[in-house]
Amino acid sequence: MKRSKLEVIYDILKIIRKHNNSIKPTPLLRYSNLSSNSFAEYLKDLLEKELIKEINDKKGRKHITLTDKGFRYLEKYKVILGFIDEFEL
Amino acid sequence: MPPSLPNFLQPEELIYTLVILTLCLIIYFKTKELYELSEHEGIRFFRYTFLLFGLSYVFRFVLHIIMITFFSNGFYLPRNFVGPISIVPVSYLSTLALFFLVYSLIWRKIEKRKFLIFSNSIALVFSLVAFLTRSNQIISVLQVSLIVFIIIVLLLKKKFSQTKLLYLLIVIFWVINLLLLGPKRMLAPEIDIFLKIISIGLFSIICLKVIKWVK
């Protein structure tokens, strides 16, 4: 069954959190079960929404971490789903 | 003797409007975080619906005061004055509220841009009719056609739930509220108060449901 957009975002954020809030893009792509194109779109979307941010380590390698808003999304995910269901949105 | 409000200020109408506005604003602001986190179109238009309903009730009150003043004192109110500050905003905002409620339920099936053009166009047409006729009854009749549209949309979704019934009652009571504006010579005060209590009850149920989720 196709995952909803909210669910995909939740899964991506959850993977980042599970990896001590720091993961490189390639393993994140692998764990997220998305095509490269979809993953790139989601990554761009999440950066724009400021749910995640990119940081470079000392060796210049890119890592992805959650922002406070990203953590809040994870906290509120079930509430968001419940709300949408309750009001049939 | 303590000073009392002049009759034309209609304290019960003022209280009624303030209660509905407060409930609508609570719904709007309490759902802010859920929307900011999810950017879900359904939540966005659900919030807009109640913001627009709140504003519609405020302008409805202004229109009511103008009509009461007109009928009580026989003032002539020129169209250029009445239109922009009361009946045009009432018509425009409430028509959009009805459309946005529908859109919040079926946003996945309709392209947003087309919907916004369509809904704003209809709201503008209704506002123009309101401006030309200065008649809340005509706007009510026009909005009844939207209610028929809403009923069809609600029936098209598989099950007819309690929430959908609430939505339907809110829009029906809005139209009744608009229809009964003015001196209400044909309506007993008890019925008027009863209708207001039901309206407040409906908005309160939605508000409590929202608070239950976002507390």
Side-chain angles (χ1 to χ4, degrees):
Chain A
M1 198 176 143
K2 195 172 178 272
R3 289 179 290 174
S4 71
K5 193 178 172 187
L6 289 176
E7 198 178 352
V8 174
I9 291 173
Y10 176 70
D11 288 344
I12 293 172
L13 298 183
K14 210 166 61 169
I15 293 162
I16 300 169
R17 185 176 65 180
K18 197 177 160 190
H19 287 81
N20 296 319
N21 193 25
S22 179
I23 187 168
K24 285 189 242 174
T26 311
L28 182 58
L29 164 64
R30 200 169 60 243
Y31 290 125
S32 62
N33 272 332
L34 293 166
S35 68
S36 303
N37 286 343
S38 292
F39 179 74
E41 280 172 28
Y42 272 104
L43 210 58
K44 186 168 169 271
D45 192 32
L46 293 178
L47 285 166
E48 280 171 5
K49 287 177 176 168
E50 297 182 342
L51 290 165
I52 58 170
K53 62 184 174 189
E54 289 178 337
I55 51 168
N56 291 316
D57 66 13
K58 288 174 189 168
K59 293 177 184 171
R61 289 175 303 198
K62 194 188 285 180
H63 287 251
I64 295 166
T65 66
L66 296 180
T67 61
D68 289 344
K69 193 177 171 186
F71 279 110
R72 193 84 181 128
Y73 183 97
L74 288 173
E75 263 175 53
K76 290 278 177 183
Y77 175 68
K78 286 195 173 139
V79 173
I80 294 168
L81 287 193
F83 186 88
I84 291 167
D85 188 47
E86 170 94 52
F87 292 100
E88 305 184 27
L89 306 173
Chain B
M1 226 175 112
S4 58
L5 284 167
N7 273 345
F8 75 90
L9 277 181
Q10 301 274 305
E12 80 280 2
E13 279 292 342
L14 179 62
I15 292 165
Y16 172 59
T17 305
L18 287 177
V19 171
I20 297 276
L21 177 66
T22 305
L23 291 169
C24 287
L25 290 179
I26 289 172
I27 294 168
Y28 181 74
F29 286 110
K30 282 278 183 188
T31 50
K32 185 171 181 269
E33 190 190 19
L34 288 193
Y35 171 67
E36 282 177 352
L37 288 173
S38 65
E39 295 190 13
H40 186 273
E41 287 297 295
I43 298 177
R44 181 207 293 250
F45 281 87
F46 175 84
R47 297 180 73 223
Y48 287 165
T49 298
F50 286 94
L51 180 64
L52 291 170
F53 266 130
L55 293 172
S56 300
Y57 273 91
V58 170
F59 283 105
R60 175 195 164 278
F61 175 71
V62 175
L63 177 62
H64 178 75
I65 293 301
I66 287 173
M67 290 172 79
I68 289 289
T69 311
F70 173 76
F71 281 105
S72 306
N73 304 310
F75 291 151
Y76 170 71
L77 293 168
R79 179 174 298 157
N80 291 347
F81 171 72
V82 177
I85 66 160
S86 61
I87 199 159
V88 170
V90 166
S91 176
Y92 185 76
L93 296 171
S94 60
T95 304
L96 269 191
L98 300 180
F99 270 116
F100 282 8
L101 181 61
V102 172
Y103 188 72
S104 73
L105 301 171
I106 56 167
W107 63 275
R108 287 180 183 87
K109 293 173 185 163
I110 297 179
E111 194 193 319
K112 190 165 106 180
R113 192 171 156 272
K114 282 181 186 165
F115 168 80
L116 287 176
I117 292 170
F118 177 72
S119 56
N120 276 283
S121 306
I122 299 288
L124 283 172
V125 170
F126 283 16
S127 304
L128 182 66
V129 174
F131 181 73
L132 295 173
T133 62
R134 283 176 291 175
S135 166
N136 50 303
Q137 278 89 1
I138 290 176
I139 299 309
S140 308
V141 170
L142 289 173
Q143 288 189 344
V144 167
S145 60
L146 279 182
I147 292 183
V148 173
F149 172 59
I150 290 170
I151 291 171
I152 292 168
V153 168
L154 293 178
L155 288 176
L156 282 177
K157 285 194 129 192
K158 284 172 191 169
K159 58 181 194 317
F160 196 83
S161 60
Q162 188 201 38
T163 308
K164 281 180 195 151
L165 181 65
L166 269 176
Y167 292 152
L168 187 59
L169 289 173
I170 280 178
V171 298
I172 287 172
F173 272 82
W174 160 257
V175 175
I176 293 172
N177 268 291
L178 189 59
L179 191 66
L180 297 177
L181 269 183
K184 301 189 186 81
R185 285 171 186 148
M186 303 296 286
L187 192 69
E190 299 79 26
I191 297 174
D192 185 40
I193 296 289
F194 177 71
L195 291 173
K196 284 184 169 59
I197 290 170
I198 302 239
S199 269
I200 289 173
L202 293 168
F203 277 95
S204 300
I205 294 170
I206 296 270
C207 191
L208 288 172
K209 277 174 174 254
V210 167
I211 290 169
K212 185 188 88 179
W213 280 104
V214 299
K215 65 186 172 192

